[in-house]
Amino acid sequence: IAKMAVEWLLSIPFLITLLGVLLVTSCWYSFGYKPYLYLRDQPIPGPKPTPFLGNLGLFMKFGENVLGLYSHLLKTYGNTYGTYLGPKAFIVTAEPELIRKVTITHFDNFSSRTESSQSLTPIEHEGKDYQGITVAIGENWKRRRNILTPAFSGLKMKQMEPLIKASTLRLAAKIAEFADNGEKVEVLSLYNKLTMEVILSTVFGRAVDVQNGKGGELYENAKAVFSGVTEGGAYLRMLGMLSFGFPFLRPILVHLAKRTKLNRAMNFVTKASAEMIEKRRKQGDSSQQKDLLQLMIDACDDETKATLSTGEIVADAVTFLLAGYE
């Protein structure tokens, strides 16, 4: 019997079974258990994670109610807590002193982001993908920040005042027209058009009259970019969370994101913006152009004399579109 037992233990089926059990146990420990010890060992409070998924279920439960999610977590776990997206830990804080240390005192230690934080719908230009400066990483982010910072001085920004004033006067005229006719008006719609008109004129260098129905094709596609973000928000947010938690899925997630309405509209805006940038570069004389687009074209690092590429300017222009219109 002992001999049979030894032969069985040394048999191929048993060894394969044993190897399989060890492999499954090792994978479970490495990916389903060990990563979730990090916040516990700090110790930092937070919701209990599920193996492999982390707190993804909690994020999906709140859906688009992001404010409700953070309010719930702050109320439950205090001003500093941790969550998991997949096996990756994230620390969230509402402590002013800690925020000051991260953003000012020890900024050099927190000046980059992970690749997972980048947009799943990057700007495509001449066969390359570009990210807006808010999600750029590493030396790329540092170089672009050094180039752009001098362009945003108060004096240079004030050069755009005539463009903004012209749009504001058109808004005042529209309101006066409605008042004279005793018409009711949806104020949000008026200000949406004002905002988009200012963005297109200052950021994209296009003189348009959106408020009087003369926005053109660029306006329609720029509006579609924002509606693509809002209408497809839940879907894109889900893809984004999966990208954060499971970076190895990113190529698949980027492919899925590119099939959305947002990406189709983005392609039009990208092409139109790149054409305007190249046109201005060929003109050479920038003295007559007083807008944010020209400031980005002329921006230069005082030390290295580095400038922004066309793709980088377009990516930042789209960033201003999304942030400004919101």
Side-chain angles (χ1 to χ4, degrees):
I1 296 176
K3 182 178 180 181
M4 292 177 61
V6 171
E7 290 178 350
W8 181 75
L9 288 173
L10 296 177
S11 66
I12 293 178
F14 174 77
L15 292 176
I16 292 176
T17 302
L18 179 61
L19 182 62
V21 171
L22 291 174
L23 183 62
V24 170
T25 303
S26 176
C27 288
W28 181 87
Y29 177 80
S30 298
F31 303 106
Y33 179 74
K34 186 179 179 180
Y36 304 106
L37 300 177
Y38 177 77
L39 293 177
R40 188 195 72 178
D41 293 343
Q42 296 307 312
I44 297 174
K48 185 178 180 180
T50 301
F52 302 103
L53 298 178
N55 302 119
L56 189 59
L58 179 64
F59 282 86
M60 298 302 294
K61 176 183 176 181
F62 278 84
E64 296 185 15
N65 186 15
V66 179
L67 180 60
L69 169 65
Y70 286 117
S71 296
H72 164 74
L73 293 172
L74 281 169
K75 183 178 180 181
T76 306
Y77 301 105
N79 286 342
T80 299
Y81 60 87
T83 60
Y84 290 93
L85 279 177
K88 187 169 294 185
F90 292 86
I91 300 173
V92 182
T93 185
E95 293 284 355
E97 181 58 26
L98 183 55
I99 293 173
R100 189 185 69 81
K101 289 181 179 180
V102 170
T103 57
I104 300 176
T105 309
H106 302 294
F107 177 71
D108 289 343
N109 296 329
F110 300 92
S111 60
S112 192
R113 306 166 182 83
T114 63
E115 186 177 352
S116 302
S117 67
Q118 295 192 307
S119 171
L120 293 175
T121 54
I123 299 301
E124 296 182 26
H125 179 66
E126 295 184 344
K128 292 182 63 177
D129 288 345
Y130 294 89
Q131 300 280 348
I133 192 170
T134 56
V135 291
I137 59 177
E139 288 301 315
N140 178 40
W141 170 82
K142 186 176 181 181
R143 175 183 60 82
R144 290 165 64 180
R145 182 175 182 271
N146 288 340
I147 294 171
L148 280 174
T149 298
F152 286 85
S153 67
L155 182 62
K156 290 182 179 179
M157 296 295 286
K158 194 173 182 180
Q159 294 175 3
M160 294 181 286
E161 183 180 343
L163 294 173
I164 299 173
K165 184 176 181 180
S167 293
T168 306
L169 291 175
R170 277 194 286 273
L171 173 62
K174 292 291 291 185
I175 293 175
E177 181 183 333
F178 285 121
D180 292 341
N181 296 331
E183 296 179 47
K184 292 183 178 180
V185 60
E186 185 181 351
V187 176
L188 178 60
S189 176
L190 290 180
Y191 278 93
N192 280 344
K193 291 179 180 179
L194 169 68
T195 303
M196 184 63 80
E197 185 174 291
V198 170
I199 292 172
L200 292 181
S201 63
T202 59
V203 181
F204 292 90
R206 297 299 181 96
V208 293
D209 187 0
V210 173
Q211 299 179 79
N212 291 299
K214 300 176 183 178
E217 200 171 1
L218 179 61
Y219 164 65
E220 295 300 328
N221 280 276
K223 189 169 61 172
V225 168
F226 189 79
S227 64
V229 172
T230 54
E231 293 171 11
Y235 177 68
L236 291 172
R237 187 156 39 250
M238 179 189 71
L239 296 182
M241 287 191 292
L242 289 173
S243 176
F244 266 111
F246 308 96
F248 58 88
L249 293 177
R250 185 173 176 82
I252 298 174
L253 300 174
V254 169
H255 177 72
L256 293 174
K258 285 184 176 181
R259 298 171 63 89
T260 62
K261 172 185 176 183
L262 166 64
N263 199 65
R264 291 190 292 273
M266 191 86 78
N267 288 338
F268 182 93
V269 173
T270 297
K271 182 179 178 181
S273 303
E275 289 175 352
M276 176 59 74
I277 293 168
E278 294 304 326
K279 179 181 178 181
R280 289 200 179 182
R281 279 182 166 151
K282 288 179 181 179
Q283 290 175 345
D285 183 15
S286 62
S287 60
Q288 302 301 316
Q289 311 295 341
K290 306 295 184 183
D291 54 30
L292 189 57
L293 180 65
Q294 193 62 47
L295 289 178
M296 290 192 288
I297 293 173
D298 294 340
C300 177
D301 188 321
D302 292 336
E303 294 184 5
T304 65
K305 305 305 178 184
T307 58
L308 298 175
S309 69
T310 296
E312 290 171 337
I313 295 174
V314 174
D316 289 336
V318 172
T319 298
F320 286 123
L321 166 64
L322 296 175
Y325 192 59
E326 185 179 21

